[in-house]
Amino acid sequence: MGGQCSNLGCCRKPSHKTAVLEAPPHLENGDNSDVTDVPAFREYTLDQLKSATSGFAVEYIVSEHGEKAPNVVYRGKLENQKKIAVKRFTRMAWPDARQFLCVLLLQQPGETQPMKWTMRLRVVLYLAQALEYCTNQERTLYHDLNAYRVLFDEECNPRLSTFGLMKNSRDGKSYSTNLAFTPPEYLRTGRITPESVIYSFGTLLLDLLSGKHIPPSHALDLIRDRNLQTLTDSCLDGQFSDSDGTELVRLASRCLQYEARERPNPKSLVTALTPLQKDTEVPSHVLMGLPHSSSVSPLSPLGEACSRKDLTAMLEILEKLGYKDDEGVTNELSFHMWTDQMQESLNFKKKGDVAFRQKDFREAIECYTQFIDGGMISPTVCARRSLCYLMSDMPKEALDDAIQAQLISPLWHVASYLQSASLSFLEMENESQIALKEGSNLESKRN
């Protein structure tokens, strides 16, 4: 789910609203105003989002929710190999936050074991840092901040969804799905302010401490009565000191002050939460009790050839694979087109295959292009032309064909491997390694 930067995008199609997120990074403690390696917030076109999701393919769907305001969340990948999530809405109003693709804050993904105290503290620190980053980027309004906005990346580090920024309006107009958790000023004015975000952050602190969603007014009564035992998750017994618990409760009560001006700012939250962190050298996936996502299966011969940029070995392997991976790919043609154009296109493919075997890459490119331009669909032809382009020192064209092959067959490992090789020739090594890892994972699942 994750990514390493905080980007924002939307499409402008009349019939749908589409949101794309890349989760904010974990920023180092202290002043982050000089961060330069994080791209600015930006918008994406509908075509870019279609490309990233293989045309909103069914295989890319990760969540479908809502009856009154149905929406679908897709996984996706940009041309630079950065993974994103794309949420597609209907014309209707923005859905309830509970309909968002979520990983519950207080429950490990796929598991039922409650999250440890140390990891809960890391979650709120990362979120506070994300809010500070957004503030420094003049994105001070975050709508409906709650546990459902928390995602975990491949390293199990917590990230803040940018879907809360999609509704970021200058006048602060928003809505609430539950009045019991709404900032007081919103009930008075119908608008949220930067201080309203801090109020919502306070409710998150209560969620973290109690393991359940307690209305702020009730929680404040418990705090005033010093009834902290009722406020604390019983699963956390013995995991934290009284002083740490008291400090977190104090911080939550500050965030939940009725008067907005009395609440802390994001930088103050980071300052207050940093000293509470424990086991900072322990990776998040260890604290979560989950395997490290970077562990991949040994590379196959094709994966090894792509990692070494051994074009000769790649050629031999692709030739042996033949066209078995084209099974299931359909070409919709009328009977007339089938009898005339289909035969002509197949002849171009046959000529291209001959040239491919004879290593006449210029001829192969020309014949395969005629086949594709004739309206035919074949991931194998795209893959073979991609390799021909690499052999002809044309890595950009090779990358385009590798991406096209994946658009046709989203789960085809060969397409990812060819993207890795193309990116490596383009000297985009980080992106190349990401594609290589994805190809290895896809091939492992396939086998």
Side-chain angles (χ1 to χ4, degrees):
M1 220 26 112
Q4 296 180 348
C5 65
S6 175
N7 280 358
L8 177 66
C10 64
C11 75
R12 299 169 181 167
K13 185 178 180 181
S15 59
H16 289 84
K17 294 180 181 178
T18 308
V20 57
L21 72 85
E22 297 178 49
H26 163 49
L27 302 175
E28 297 296 331
N29 297 334
D31 183 13
N32 53 31
S33 59
D34 294 330
V35 174
T36 58
D37 60 343
V38 180
F41 291 99
R42 58 167 294 189
E43 293 185 353
Y44 295 94
T45 65
L46 179 60
D47 287 339
Q48 287 175 305
L49 300 187
K50 281 184 175 179
S51 177
T53 58
S54 292
F56 299 112
V58 174
E59 295 85 356
Y60 278 51
I61 294 177
V62 294
S63 176
E64 294 182 88
H65 290 290
E67 296 178 0
K68 294 183 178 179
N71 58 84
V72 183
V73 178
Y74 300 81
R75 63 182 173 85
K77 187 172 67 174
L78 301 175
E79 288 188 1
N80 63 2
Q81 305 300 300
K82 189 170 293 297
K83 294 181 179 180
I84 58 173
V86 181
K87 190 172 186 180
R88 194 177 193 186
F89 299 95
T90 65
R91 293 179 180 177
M92 303 176 71
W94 293 91
D96 187 301
R98 289 170 295 183
Q99 297 172 343
F100 173 58
L101 169 69
C102 65
V103 180
L104 292 180
L105 173 62
L106 302 178
Q107 187 173 333
Q108 296 183 24
E111 304 287 339
T112 58
Q113 179 182 357
M115 187 178 289
K116 295 179 180 179
W117 173 254
T118 303
M119 189 62 197
R120 297 189 193 197
L121 288 176
R122 184 171 297 183
V123 167
V124 289
L125 175 62
Y126 278 37
L127 297 187
Q129 290 173 332
L131 291 178
E132 184 184 11
Y133 169 77
C134 291
T135 299
N136 291 338
Q137 298 295 313
E138 298 183 353
R139 295 271 180 161
T140 57
L141 300 184
Y142 190 97
H143 296 244
D144 306 302
L145 176 63
N146 54 60
Y148 294 90
R149 300 298 197 191
V150 181
L151 308 176
F152 294 89
D153 65 14
E154 292 182 346
E155 303 298 324
C156 291
N157 288 321
R159 299 291 187 234
L160 179 62
S161 158
T162 56
F163 287 150
L165 297 171
M166 285 298 301
K167 298 170 290 180
N168 209 344
S169 56
R170 291 183 180 180
D171 58 7
K173 289 183 179 179
S174 182
Y175 70 99
S176 175
T177 57
N178 191 329
L179 295 180
F181 298 89
T182 301
E185 57 273 15
Y186 178 72
L187 294 177
R188 297 194 304 267
T189 67
R191 289 178 171 83
I192 66 168
T193 66
E195 292 76 19
S196 304
V197 181
I198 302 301
Y199 185 93
S200 297
F201 186 84
T203 66
L204 267 178
L205 289 177
L206 293 178
D207 290 351
L208 174 141
L209 184 63
S210 64
K212 50 185 175 289
H213 211 31
I214 301 179
S217 58
H218 179 52
L220 289 174
D221 288 339
L222 295 175
I223 293 173
R224 295 188 192 98
D225 296 339
R226 297 184 180 277
N227 192 353
L228 301 185
Q229 185 174 359
T230 304
L231 193 63
T232 304
D233 190 346
S234 59
C235 297
L236 298 175
D237 288 346
Q239 293 190 28
F240 63 93
S241 65
D242 290 342
S243 60
D244 283 354
T246 301
E247 177 59 24
L248 199 70
V249 169
R250 186 187 69 84
L251 185 60
S253 64
R254 288 180 58 203
C255 293
L256 296 172
Q257 290 298 305
Y258 183 83
E259 294 295 336
R261 63 177 180 274
E262 296 179 4
R263 301 170 197 159
N265 57 37
K267 187 172 184 179
S268 299
L269 293 177
V270 173
T271 301
L273 289 168
T274 298
L276 299 178
Q277 301 302 306
K278 312 294 183 185
D279 300 326
T280 55
E281 73 286 352
V282 179
S284 294
H285 73 89
V286 174
L287 293 179
M288 298 276 274
L290 297 173
H292 191 208
S293 64
S294 63
S295 58
V296 295
S297 305
L299 290 175
S300 65
L302 179 57
E304 284 286 355
C306 290
S307 67
R308 299 193 310 268
K309 296 190 287 189
D310 187 342
L311 299 181
T312 301
M314 292 167 61
L315 177 67
E316 293 176 357
I317 294 171
L318 280 187
E319 188 175 346
K320 290 179 180 178
L321 285 177
Y323 283 84
K324 63 179 181 180
D325 290 305
D326 276 21
E327 295 176 5
V329 177
T330 59
N331 291 279
E332 298 181 0
L333 298 172
S334 67
F335 178 76
H336 176 73
M337 293 177 66
W338 180 270
T339 56
D340 296 334
Q341 182 177 330
M342 182 68 169
Q343 187 58 53
E344 184 180 6
S345 295
L346 288 176
N347 289 336
F348 280 123
K349 183 175 76 69
K350 290 179 181 178
K351 292 179 181 178
D353 290 339
V354 172
F356 186 77
R357 289 192 296 270
Q358 295 178 348
K359 301 181 177 57
D360 186 348
F361 302 115
R362 184 182 297 275
E363 176 67 14
I365 290 173
E366 183 175 341
C367 291
Y368 287 146
T369 299
Q370 292 285 350
F371 173 79
I372 294 172
D373 289 348
M376 303 302 295
I377 299 175
S378 167
T380 300
V381 168
C382 290
R384 289 190 170 198
R385 191 173 69 169
S386 174
L387 183 56
C388 289
Y389 279 131
L390 286 178
M391 289 287 192
S392 305
D393 195 24
M394 302 171 69
K396 178 60 173 66
E397 290 78 3
L399 178 60
D400 291 340
D401 266 357
I403 292 175
Q404 183 61 33
Q406 190 171 51
L407 290 176
I408 300 171
S409 297
L411 303 181
W412 195 32
H413 61 286
V414 174
S416 294
Y417 281 144
L418 285 169
Q419 289 178 52
S420 174
S422 302
L423 289 163
S424 184
F425 277 105
L426 289 169
E427 299 182 354
M428 301 172 66
E429 292 302 329
N430 290 337
E431 292 81 357
S432 173
Q433 289 302 311
I434 293 173
L436 184 68
K437 176 182 173 182
E438 181 170 296
S440 179
N441 289 337
L442 288 174
E443 186 172 19
S444 178
K445 292 178 182 178
R446 181 182 183 131
N447 294 333

